Amino acid sequence: MAYLPLANILHHKLRSLLNALGIGIGICMLLTLSGLSRGSLGEIADRWDAVNAQLLVYPAGWGESTPTLSGVGLSDRFAQRIEQQNPGKVARAVPVFLWPMKVGGQDHLAAGVDPGQWDMLAGGKKLSGGRLFDPDMSFAHWLEKQLLEEASGDDLASITDADLASRGALELVIDSRLAKKASLKVGDDVHISNHNWKIVGVVPEGGLARVYLPRRTAQFLFGSGSITKSTVIFVDLVDDEGVEQASRDIRNDTRQEVVQVSQYRNMLQQKWGVMYTYVDAVNVVALIIAFLFIAVMLYTMVLQRTREIALLKSFGASSAFVIRQVLAESLLMTFAGCAIGIGVSYAAGWAIEQVTLYTVTIGPHWIAIAIAAAFAGAVISACYPAWRAMKIDMVEALTME
Amino acid sequence: MLQAYDLHKSYGRGSSAVQVLTGLDLRVEEGEFVAIMGPSGCGKSTLLHLLGLMTAPDKGEIHLENSRVDHCPRTRTAVRRRRIGIILQRFNLLPELSAMDNVEISLQVRGLRKTGLVDELFEKLGVAHLKGRKPSRMSIGEQQRIAVVRAMAHQPRLLLADEPTGSLDSKNTQNLLEMFARLNREQRQTIIMITHSADAAAIAGRTVRMKDGRLLD
Ligand SMILES: Nc1ncnc2c1ncn2[C@@H]1O[C@H](COP(=O)(O)OP(=O)(O)OP(=O)(O)O)[C@@H](O)[C@H]1O
Ligand SMILES: [Mg+2]
């Protein structure tokens, strides 16, 4: 079968390849950037969702679009109060101290957790190597005794890093992906936030954080001089049904913000909405450039091939036939470009996940958008060249040198 | 079959305009084989373009199979062109396509499928070995014969040929002319052929001479 658009594309292999690449790069940018921005946030939200709790309590006034929750927030007494005020409804209220720590060259929101609450916060994941920090809470109890009990004469300033280290306070558990990316393993020493830590355990990824430390350590080091406050409180309810009611009760009682953990996703999205807009704008520009490419290519193709188009018309090709040739060429090129773009996106996504801790989620939704945009662009950019092709004067084209 | 009255055609505008056809009349009956001769630049190709409905006359009328065909809507003209077979003086083939594909695309445009006739024509014109070859790797004479195959593949009632033997050797010229004569005789195909060769014209049933944009008689 003589199929002219394909024959044309194959006749000008390099030019066609460059054009398909131009489109492919546009598509790849669209998929990778949106996949990266949304994927990384989605991955964080997924990890929060994995926490075995329904409600999240954080300080009143931080608002819905609060910057990343971290540092001193709620008094630990709220946790006790929430449990006491809702007997039979709240299984446990667990304070967590969140703090950004740079590990493996990237900032992570590390979670200061009590070893006893590990199962709730790590999303049910068992350590795949090593052990948990401060397993029998001896450091926690010692620190509480030093700082919380009236009788103690010690104060914050007299406790040194050496004390902390000797009592197992400067120990970290990291997740498997960070361990792989940063080439860290159980037993390694790392210097983070001006302290020397030891990695004592590795847990499969998927829990609240990538980096865990003892909550008392976090409070002591990053809690502005007091170990009475954490950042947020996770509340595990006995009965999933009563989430709304429990949420209202706790809000009324504590007068703090209470949201469902699943809503954290929306909070992240609100916070990063501007970035999405920015990324999407860049994507649109990339696609437009890709299609200017095609439009120019089709236009030069039409100009270069006036004679061939004139010949087709001399056999009686209708305007529709001529337009179809130009359009088909544009669509074929776009099809190739889409295939390249999608293929490269998956490869790029995989590569990014190997080299960094970002997550690239290339959803079918975005592939559909990319393909739709590509084909719409293909049709639009074929319009003017097709119109020019239709207007070609046969005699002029076939007699002029 | 075909009548042309008082055809005028010029190229360009204003002071640089060239008057090519200046009131040409031509009448060709169904089943006739007409040769057109005349000096270079007298407007033979221009006449053929008009008869092939590739362009419209500035003035005058063209009638084909009892309907007036100049200045018709574009779509209708395109449909009429499909029934004509035309061999141009130059630039006949699509360079991206092989010889066979060049023939097939013309059939495609006409909404037809390839028949056994196509292979037969390739054989008869001695170009069967070139079916898969692209025009850039053929001689001018070979290209011209492919154009002949293409112009005849849909068995047009009217065949217009602009110096089809211009680049052929004597054997191939003879072969092609005999084929034209046979088609004309056996299938009553109407043929209008432009030629510079008196021998070629001798095969045709009638020869008309052109000079300065008109027929001499
Ligand atoms: N597209 C065009 N634009 C301007 N002038 C043209 C064009 N085509 C042909 N002409 C001019 O019209 C005149 C007639 O040209 P035409 O091609 O019809 O001559 P011809 O009789 O076929 O000559 P030849 O025997 O050399 O093929 C010539 O003077 C030519 O220069
Ligand atoms: Mg000529």
Side-chain angles (χ1 to χ4, degrees):
Chain A
M1 238 333 250
Y3 189 55
L4 194 55
L6 188 61
N8 286 333
I9 287 173
L10 296 178
H11 196 76
H12 305 277
K13 288 195 184 64
L14 183 64
R15 193 180 68 182
S16 305
L17 183 71
L18 288 178
N19 277 293
L21 272 181
I23 301 164
I25 290 168
I27 301 268
C28 176
M29 249 181 98
L30 177 84
L31 289 179
T32 316
L33 286 183
S34 65
L36 187 61
S37 56
R38 284 161 175 91
S40 295
L41 289 187
E43 194 260 352
I44 294 171
D46 285 346
R47 287 199 269 112
W48 280 60
D49 264 353
V51 173
N52 190 12
Q54 290 76 40
L55 296 176
L56 175 68
V57 186
Y58 63 92
W62 279 16
E64 273 258 321
S65 61
T66 175
T68 326
L69 301 165
S70 76
V72 175
L74 292 173
S75 165
D76 293 344
R77 285 199 309 225
F78 279 119
Q80 288 165 20
R81 187 177 169 89
I82 289 166
E83 285 181 5
Q84 281 161 9
Q85 293 292 312
N86 301 279
K89 282 198 276 181
V90 168
R92 36 179 184 166
V94 176
V96 174
F97 195 103
L98 299 164
W99 190 253
M101 290 174 83
K102 201 175 191 110
V103 185
Q106 202 177 315
D107 268 324
H108 303 277
L109 196 59
V113 305
D114 287 330
Q117 312 294 357
W118 176 259
D119 61 314
M120 175 200 256
L121 299 163
K125 299 279 191 314
K126 296 271 178 296
L127 293 191
S128 56
R131 59 165 175 82
L132 207 49
F133 38 71
D134 198 18
D136 53 4
M137 299 276 283
S138 61
F139 163 70
H141 293 143
W142 174 79
L143 192 70
E144 284 157 21
K145 200 159 162 232
Q146 300 300 309
L147 300 180
L148 296 181
E149 286 172 25
E150 295 275 346
S152 69
D154 255 331
D155 66 3
L156 278 148
S158 66
I159 299 173
T160 63
D161 266 22
D163 294 326
L164 294 177
S166 69
R167 293 176 189 278
L170 296 178
E171 294 179 342
L172 297 177
V173 169
I174 59 174
D175 84 353
S176 53
R177 188 151 163 213
L178 175 58
K180 188 168 164 228
K181 151 83 210 310
S183 309
L184 292 172
K185 57 184 187 310
V186 172
D188 283 354
D189 294 310
V190 285
H191 188 78
I192 303 163
S193 311
N194 285 326
H195 302 280
N196 291 311
W197 307 77
K198 186 178 279 300
I199 306 229
V200 295
V202 173
V203 63
E205 70 172 320
L208 175 63
R210 289 201 192 284
V211 181
Y212 302 89
L213 69 164
R215 186 171 66 95
R216 288 303 187 194
T217 306
Q219 287 179 314
F220 177 74
L221 294 178
F222 316 121
S224 311
S226 133
I227 63 163
T228 59
K229 290 181 175 176
S230 299
T231 312
V232 296
I233 296 170
F234 283 98
V235 180
D236 180 20
L237 300 177
V238 174
D239 181 9
D240 279 3
E241 300 284 296
V243 182
E244 300 281 345
Q245 184 61 44
S247 165
R248 267 196 300 278
D249 290 348
I250 296 170
R251 186 179 302 117
N252 290 337
D253 180 50
T254 60
R255 289 192 296 278
Q256 304 298 321
E257 295 282 356
V258 183
V259 297
Q260 296 188 24
V261 174
S262 55
Q263 248 184 289
Y264 186 66
R265 193 178 296 273
N266 297 343
M267 290 168 65
L268 278 178
Q269 274 166 9
Q270 272 180 18
K271 184 189 164 197
W272 296 104
V274 179
M275 186 185 73
Y276 285 166
T277 313
Y278 174 74
V279 165
D280 293 345
V282 170
N283 282 334
V284 167
V285 171
L287 273 185
I288 289 175
I289 290 172
F291 284 104
L292 279 178
F293 239 94
I294 303 199
V296 169
M297 180 279 293
L298 289 173
Y299 184 60
T300 49
M301 170 211 93
V302 167
L303 288 187
Q304 274 177 6
R305 289 216 311 261
T306 49
R307 201 169 280 159
E308 287 89 279
I309 294 164
L311 258 184
L312 290 175
K313 290 168 84 167
S314 79
F315 318 144
S318 59
S319 297
F321 185 91
V322 172
I323 291 169
R324 254 195 336 266
Q325 303 305 303
V326 177
L327 193 60
E329 200 160 323
S330 173
L331 290 176
L332 277 174
M333 208 80 79
T334 304
F335 183 80
C338 280
I340 294 175
I342 293 171
V344 173
S345 299
Y346 275 104
W350 180 83
I352 288 171
E353 290 187 2
Q354 296 313 300
V355 186
T356 71
L357 285 164
Y358 296 118
T359 298
V360 182
T361 308
I362 300 173
H365 169 71
W366 280 94
I367 293 184
I369 288 178
I371 291 178
F375 281 90
V379 172
I380 293 168
S381 49
C383 282
Y384 182 64
W387 183 79
R388 283 296 299 250
M390 209 179 86
K391 290 275 165 211
I392 284 170
D393 182 287
M394 269 174 273
V395 170
E396 197 175 314
L398 291 168
T399 57
M400 304 283 241
E401 206 45 78
Chain B
M1 177 74 179
L2 185 145
Q3 296 90 31
Y5 304 111
D6 194 28
L7 290 184
H8 284 74
K9 183 72 181 175
S10 61
Y11 288 110
R13 283 211 191 107
S15 57
S16 65
V18 193
Q19 278 293 329
V20 182
L21 298 185
T22 50
L24 181 144
D25 294 297
L26 175 68
R27 188 180 177 90
V28 177
E29 299 304 330
E30 170 97 46
E32 243 194 315
F33 186 170
V34 178
I36 298 177
M37 294 185 78
S40 182
C42 71
K44 303 182 296 296
S45 296
T46 303
L47 172 63
L48 205 83
H49 296 149
L50 285 170
L51 299 181
L53 309 182
M54 290 166 63
T55 183
D58 299 338
K59 191 177 157 219
E61 295 180 12
I62 301 173
H63 295 249
L64 196 60
E65 292 176 317
N66 303 321
S67 14
R68 185 166 170 188
V69 294
D70 56 288
H71 296 104
C72 279
R74 205 195 334 228
T75 322
R76 193 167 339 144
T77 306
V79 171
R80 283 207 177 98
R81 273 201 296 272
R82 290 176 205 166
R83 298 211 297 266
I84 301 172
I86 188 161
I87 299 157
L88 300 170
Q89 193 169 5
R90 303 187 293 170
F91 311 129
N92 264 301
L93 301 182
L94 297 166
E96 294 89 355
L97 299 180
S98 67
M100 183 54 104
D101 285 350
N102 259 283
V103 176
E104 279 194 21
I105 192 102
S106 79
L107 291 171
Q108 225 181 78
V109 163
R110 295 176 158 112
L112 301 173
R113 289 182 171 280
K114 199 187 115 181
T115 59
L117 175 67
V118 173
D119 293 308
E120 216 174 285
L121 287 167
F122 269 102
E123 289 291 339
K124 278 189 187 159
L125 287 158
V127 285
H129 61 294
L130 301 175
K131 279 178 189 168
R133 204 181 280 185
K134 289 197 178 166
S136 56
R137 294 173 51 231
M138 292 180 207
S139 74
I140 305 282
E142 286 168 338
Q143 292 182 23
Q144 211 159 24
R145 280 180 281 163
I146 303 297
V148 173
V149 173
R150 193 184 55 198
M152 299 185 16
H154 61 295
Q155 293 180 280
R157 296 304 303 149
L158 174 64
L159 181 66
L160 306 173
D162 197 347
E163 292 192 46
T165 59
S167 307
L168 300 185
D169 59 21
S170 59
K171 182 169 145 281
N172 276 308
T173 299
Q174 198 56 34
N175 188 14
L176 181 69
L177 291 173
E178 274 169 19
M179 208 168 94
F180 277 8
R182 195 166 53 241
L183 275 171
N184 171 249
R185 201 168 52 238
E186 291 170 4
Q187 298 180 17
R188 287 184 48 75
Q189 199 158 23
T190 311
I191 302 177
I192 300 176
M193 176 177 75
I194 294 172
T195 183
H196 280 291
S197 138
D199 289 345
I203 299 259
R206 172 159 72 105
T207 301
V208 295
R209 287 176 192 283
M210 247 181 105
K211 192 160 185 252
D212 301 333
R214 287 174 203 236
L215 294 191
L216 298 174
D217 39 13

